[in-house]
Amino acid sequence: MSAPAAAPRPDAIDPADWRDWRWQMQQRVRDAEALGAWLRPTDDERRAIERLAERFHFVITPYYASLMDPDDPGCPIRRQVVPACAELADPAGLADPLDEVAHSPVKNVVRVYPDRIAFCVNNECALYCRFCLRKRMLGEPEWAMKKRELEEALAWIRRTPEIRDVLLTGGDPLVFSDDKLDWLLGELRAIPHVELLRLGTRLPVTLPFRVTDELCRVLERHHPVWLNTHFNHPRELTAEAAEACERLLRAGVPVGNQSVLLAGINDDPETMRALCEGLVRMRVRPYYCYQAQLLEGTAHFRVPVEQGIALFKALRGRTSGFAIPQYVLDTPHGKVPLAHPWWRGRDGDDVLVETPDGRVWREPNPL
Ligand SMILES: *Cc1c(COP(=O)(O)O)cnc(C)c1O
């Protein structure tokens, strides 16, 4: 198996700048003109950028832009980040399909389970995914977290002893400076009932240069720290992304992946298998694959649940068990696993199951 290829870097850009995450943040693509340096936008893309400018922000890192196919509007990288007019035609979509606002005991803390929370520490990412669950808050000043609001969330966690697992998400927690992240993780680590710290971040995919040795030293100080990232397509598995994951793993941070099942991007068994097998070659464990939510502007990404179930059924028995993520539908009341019914019920003292090769197996198992 060949090693992953590096992302193409335009000749005009100094390699030291290219690998500098702050340079990448400053040089992000934010309009049709800047996008034109990477590809020739179609009329649909151009119109979508104009008409969506106010509603769903459009931002891409140069690194991620370099992975886009300039000639193919159907490119699975391009479709994740470049606006399309289809986003304007989704009457059923909701702004907050998981009803997160109603589940917030304090601003930007989402509590669905008794023992763990999603803590949206900011509302900024390196780039904005077109299918973002939290696009209602991205880049909107009212959703930004001021220092005082972060303190209020920390105070709520301190006085809520049931919380043993804190998932930092956003936005994206790795957009914070090392110092700010060190402070926040330190405050959480000092709370006796908080056992686990988790980061939900797409930066290993969209801006892998953010994962510096200095960042890893910060994370190491606050173990146990777990991290889930978000690769959706095998073309995202570059040498740079592999290096970012390798650094995290060397710092003792287990790295998992949460993808979203997206129509025309990763909704066929061969693409999903290539993604998952590529991830485990990088020692990244596929954790969840989410059914796309009933979220405004994303009807063109949604796949029927039956198709998703059939896709993951097709992987069972055909690749390493730990390469197969759990396919889940997130709901306002928690995540629900969606799976082919391998369990076929009971017949007297036997239980019946379907095997991956399509037989029915009878297993003695008296009540
Ligand atoms: C996904 C999620 C979690 C974490 O769930 P796990 O199944 O433990 O990974 C916690 N809180 C909220 C609100 C979530 O959406």
Side-chain angles (χ1 to χ4, degrees), residues 32 34 86 92 145 206 225 236 250 257 268 270 288 324 353:
M145 286 293 270
T206 58
V225 176
E236 295 168 338
R250 276 201 311 251
N257 190 66
D268 64 282
E270 278 322 301
Y288 286 146
I324 306 176
V353 292

Side-chain angles (χ1 to χ4, degrees), residues 98 100 103 109-113 115-119 133-134 164-167 169 198 228 258 287-288 290 326 328 330-332 334-335:
L98 298 182
E100 292 188 320
H103 286 85
V109 168
V110 185
R111 188 187 196 186
V112 171
Y113 301 112
D115 67 320
R116 56 207 195 276
I117 53 168
F119 179 8
L133 174 65
R134 301 208 177 96
R164 45 165 283 283
D165 177 354
V166 174
L167 161 58
T169 176
R198 294 201 239 181
N228 274 318
Q258 308 193 138
Y287 178 48
Y288 286 146
Y290 287 97
Q326 193 166 52
V328 293
D330 210 350
T331 78
K335 297 178 194 10

Side-chain angles (χ1 to χ4, degrees), residues 22-162:
R22 293 196 178 276
W23 181 92
Q24 288 271 341
M25 288 293 279
Q26 282 153 10
Q27 300 295 319
R28 287 181 294 174
V29 172
R30 294 170 176 280
D31 53 40
E33 196 193 327
L35 185 64
W38 297 98
L39 52 81
R40 186 203 295 275
T42 63
D43 287 345
D44 183 89
E45 288 168 331
R46 212 175 264 288
R47 264 185 293 127
I49 290 166
E50 279 165 25
R51 294 169 64 190
L52 285 162
E54 294 300 312
R55 270 186 79 201
F56 306 140
H57 299 275
F58 152 60
V59 179
I60 310 175
T61 56
Y63 163 82
Y64 199 76
S66 81
L67 303 182
M68 300 187 300
D69 185 329
D71 304 315
D72 177 14
C75 162
I77 305 299
R78 184 163 163 175
R79 285 194 56 224
Q80 290 186 58
V81 290
V82 176
C85 287
E87 292 175 40
L88 296 155
D90 180 17
L94 306 172
D96 182 9
L98 298 182
D99 209 11
E100 292 188 320
V101 172
H103 286 85
S104 297
V106 58
K107 183 178 169 183
N108 284 14
V109 168
V110 185
R111 188 187 196 186
V112 171
Y113 301 112
D115 67 320
R116 56 207 195 276
I117 53 168
F119 179 8
C120 302
V121 297
N122 60 10
N123 66 337
E124 258 192 278
C125 295
L127 57 70
Y128 295 151
C129 306
R130 302 319 298 170
F131 46 87
C132 176
L133 174 65
R134 301 208 177 96
K135 62 185 181 182
R136 68 181 189 279
M137 52 193 270
L138 286 179
E140 299 295 330
E142 73 200 89
W143 291 105
M145 286 293 270
K146 301 186 189 71
K147 182 81 184 285
R148 177 181 56 78
E149 291 168 327
L150 286 172
E151 298 274 13
E152 282 165 9
L154 288 167
W156 181 87
I157 298 167
R158 273 186 213 107
R159 64 174 187 266
T160 312
E162 301 84 53

Side-chain angles (χ1 to χ4, degrees), residues 261-295:
L261 190 63
L262 296 167
I265 292 179
N266 58 15
D267 66 336
D268 64 282
E270 278 322 301
T271 304
M272 185 57 73
R273 181 158 74 151
L275 171 63
C276 294
E277 291 180 352
L279 286 167
V280 298
R281 282 199 300 276
M282 289 167 37
R283 285 186 286 146
V284 174
R285 168 74 152 100
Y287 178 48
Y288 286 146
C289 179
Y290 287 97
Q291 169 65 19
Q293 299 288 328
L294 195 70
L295 173 77

